[in-house]
Amino acid sequence: MRIRIPAKKPLPVSPLLLFLLPSVCIFLIFLYSSSSAASLRSRTSTSTTTTTSSNDGSEKRTSRRAAASCDYSQGQWVYDPQAEPLYDHTCNEIFKGWNCIANNKPNALDLTKWRWQPYGCDLPRLDPLHFLERFRNTNIGFVGDSLNRNMFVSLVCSLRRASNEVRKWRPAKADRGFTFLRYNLTIAYHRTNLLARYSRWSASSNGGVLESLGYKNGFRVDVDIPDSSWSLAPTFHDVLILNTGHWWWAPSKFDPQSSPMLFFEKGLPVIPPKRPEVGLDMTLKHMTLFVETQMGDSALKFFRTQSPRHFEGGDWNEGGFCQRTRPLLQEQVEQLFSLENNGTNIEARLSNEHMFRAVKGTSFKILDISHMSEYRADAHPSRSGGKKHDDCMHWCLPGITDSWNDLLVAHLNRA
């Protein structure tokens, strides 16, 4: 049965209300439009333009985008006279040869005044306390040569300014490591030159395939077996930063004639013997697969690109030097690193080509520090500390590797 509801009589409307109603509606529409625009600005990347002074003294106008769309590898070094480092030369973890302030390198203090400014966005500086809080109950491992130790030391020294309650130990066969006890955050460095296991090889009196080819001495490199110094790292760490490259182009260690690299796979020599760059490709293929099968899906895996050297006038054993006091200009960068020039320092870009191919299609992320570092011929220890030859490979601390860690944090924030 349908129920009829009696219609209500309309209420009387005040003439004053009729007069004010249009004004109220206009006000509400204006208020809604303003709040919607503000909300849109907060959710989308607005473009703001700033002017900065670059290392060549010129001014460059750049538009700021959201960090998620930024290419941090492209930018310029900006001098900031007010900048202060997160730590100083008193951090005990700094290797003596890298402590340019204590070693009285003339421009050591000035090194901390340069800030990397990506084109179109900003690279935030590492906040030690925020980092400790965010990565509570996390294990972070640096795996690679002494340049990854350079980066590891920078991060440890930065964090120790916020919390000095640390336990020093060697987790998962690491070369060195620290746990920040209040946060249960462990950071470790695993030293390995090639990532793969390698050892001295000598011809056997019983003969063999390599002996039949005339080889008497060399280095056996097992391209499919990780070095024992980091073989446990993937199962221990939640974040892993790998690098390799310098030692693959090191004739003083792996002389092609007297002590060549001899590659083995599945326990057998690779025949015909391969050149180092082919062995590098084989090693990178096996090592990326090893890490991916050992680490969980939620783990973060990075390959850091090659750290450039800045030898001028020859290599380290040929009287090469690096005594500049300011970052290079773009044209100077190309003179030193262009593959077409085939100069002393091309190993960085060569190594990167192999690494880029190896990680394609994997879950590894690229931590691209190469281009930003190519400008910084001024930031190496050079002759400071009484060295017999210029160190144009490692970096002063504090120094440029602090910016590498800023870059690492930016990538971690994207994950």
Side-chain angles (χ1 to χ4, degrees):
M1 180 176 68
R2 182 176 296 176
I3 300 176
R4 289 184 176 272
I5 300 177
K8 294 183 179 180
K9 293 181 179 181
L11 294 174
V13 179
S14 168
L16 178 62
L17 181 60
L18 290 173
F19 175 79
L20 294 176
L21 186 59
S23 299
V24 171
C25 291
I26 293 172
F27 174 77
L28 291 176
I29 292 171
F30 173 80
L31 186 64
Y32 175 78
S33 300
S34 300
S35 63
S36 297
S39 176
L40 181 63
R41 284 194 298 269
S42 68
R43 294 195 308 266
T44 60
S45 59
T46 58
S47 177
T48 60
T49 302
T50 60
T51 303
T52 56
S53 177
S54 65
N55 56 290
D56 61 0
S58 64
E59 290 188 345
K60 186 173 184 69
R61 292 173 62 83
T62 55
S63 176
R64 301 283 172 261
R65 296 192 307 272
S69 62
C70 181
D71 180 2
Y72 292 114
S73 66
Q74 298 299 314
Q76 62 185 344
W77 288 98
V78 177
Y79 189 78
D80 180 1
Q82 305 302 319
E84 295 291 339
L86 292 175
Y87 59 95
D88 60 26
H89 64 287
T90 62
C91 179
N92 292 331
E93 191 59 20
I94 300 177
F95 178 66
K96 182 179 178 181
W98 307 339
N99 199 330
C100 296
I101 296 176
N103 292 335
N104 298 313
K105 187 172 190 278
N107 69 328
L109 291 174
D110 214 36
L111 295 178
T112 64
K113 306 296 184 183
W114 291 94
R115 172 176 56 83
W116 180 248
Q117 179 63 65
Y119 297 139
C121 60
D122 291 314
L123 178 60
R125 196 179 191 190
L126 183 150
D127 181 331
L129 187 58
H130 181 266
F131 188 97
L132 290 166
E133 289 285 1
R134 180 173 178 200
F135 295 101
R136 188 184 291 271
N137 303 318
T138 301
N139 299 329
I140 300 175
F142 292 84
V143 175
D145 57 33
S146 55
L147 276 303
N148 249 14
R149 180 182 172 185
N150 228 162
M151 187 177 179
F152 158 80
V153 171
S154 164
L155 182 58
V156 168
C157 289
S158 297
L159 298 182
R160 290 194 73 160
R161 293 303 294 267
S163 177
N164 206 31
E165 298 178 38
V166 298
R167 172 194 174 197
K168 189 174 182 178
W169 64 305
R170 301 174 61 186
K173 294 186 177 181
D175 185 68
R176 54 210 313 112
F178 295 88
T179 295
F180 291 83
L181 298 174
R182 183 178 297 182
Y183 304 91
N184 192 31
L185 166 64
T186 295
I187 301 177
Y189 164 64
H190 303 257
R191 179 176 175 80
T192 172
N193 294 332
L194 305 179
L195 294 181
R197 185 179 73 182
Y198 75 96
S199 58
R200 284 278 186 182
W201 178 89
S202 297
S204 170
S205 58
N206 296 325
V209 62
L210 289 174
E211 289 84 348
S212 68
L213 295 174
Y215 289 97
K216 297 180 179 180
N217 293 287
F219 283 90
R220 170 175 172 159
V221 181
D222 288 278
V223 297
D224 53 346
I225 301 177
D227 195 345
S228 62
S229 64
W230 73 280
S231 59
L232 300 178
T235 55
F236 179 83
H237 293 293
D238 307 294
V239 180
L240 211 57
I241 304 100
L242 275 68
N243 96 285
T244 190
H246 288 292
W247 288 87
W248 292 88
W249 280 271
S252 60
K253 175 77 170 182
F254 304 109
D255 185 271
Q257 303 301 322
S258 61
S259 54
M261 288 179 165
L262 301 171
F263 299 106
F264 282 67
E265 190 174 27
K266 297 181 180 179
L268 299 173
V270 176
I271 302 298
K274 305 298 182 184
R275 292 175 57 83
E277 55 267 29
V278 178
L280 174 59
D281 286 334
M282 298 172 70
T283 296
L284 290 173
K285 181 189 74 172
H286 284 292
M287 296 303 108
T288 52
L289 180 61
F290 169 72
V291 171
E292 289 203 301
T293 56
Q294 294 293 310
M295 296 190 82
D297 294 336
S298 62
L300 295 175
K301 302 170 280 290
F302 293 92
F303 241 110
R304 177 181 62 71
T305 60
Q306 187 75 341
S307 174
R309 310 182 310 157
H310 287 90
F311 286 100
E312 297 183 72
D315 213 326
W316 69 271
N317 57 346
E318 301 169 338
F321 57 88
C322 50
Q323 298 178 12
R324 295 179 182 263
T325 57
R326 290 179 62 86
L328 299 175
L329 305 178
Q330 179 60 45
E331 55 268 26
Q332 294 171 320
V333 166
E334 289 307 309
Q335 289 171 7
L336 278 181
F337 297 103
S338 171
L339 296 180
E340 287 74 18
N341 291 341
N342 196 29
T344 302
N345 306 291
I346 62 170
E347 81 174 28
R349 295 188 181 184
L350 284 175
S351 296
N352 287 343
E353 289 184 350
H354 293 271
M355 188 266 294
F356 289 142
R357 287 197 298 267
V359 302
K360 188 176 182 179
T362 72
S363 58
F364 274 86
K365 302 178 185 300
I366 300 294
L367 191 65
D368 190 351
I369 57 86
S370 295
H371 185 58
M372 67 187 296
S373 305
E374 286 178 343
Y375 291 94
R376 298 308 305 274
D378 60 317
H380 296 286
S382 187
R383 285 288 182 95
S384 64
K387 298 178 180 64
K388 294 182 180 180
H389 59 80
D390 281 41
D391 182 353
C392 306
M393 181 171 70
H394 300 100
W395 303 98
C396 295
L397 291 175
I400 187 176
T401 47
D402 304 332
S403 296
W404 294 4
N405 281 311
D406 293 341
L407 187 64
L408 172 63
V409 174
H411 282 281
L412 290 173
N413 288 338
R414 287 179 173 180

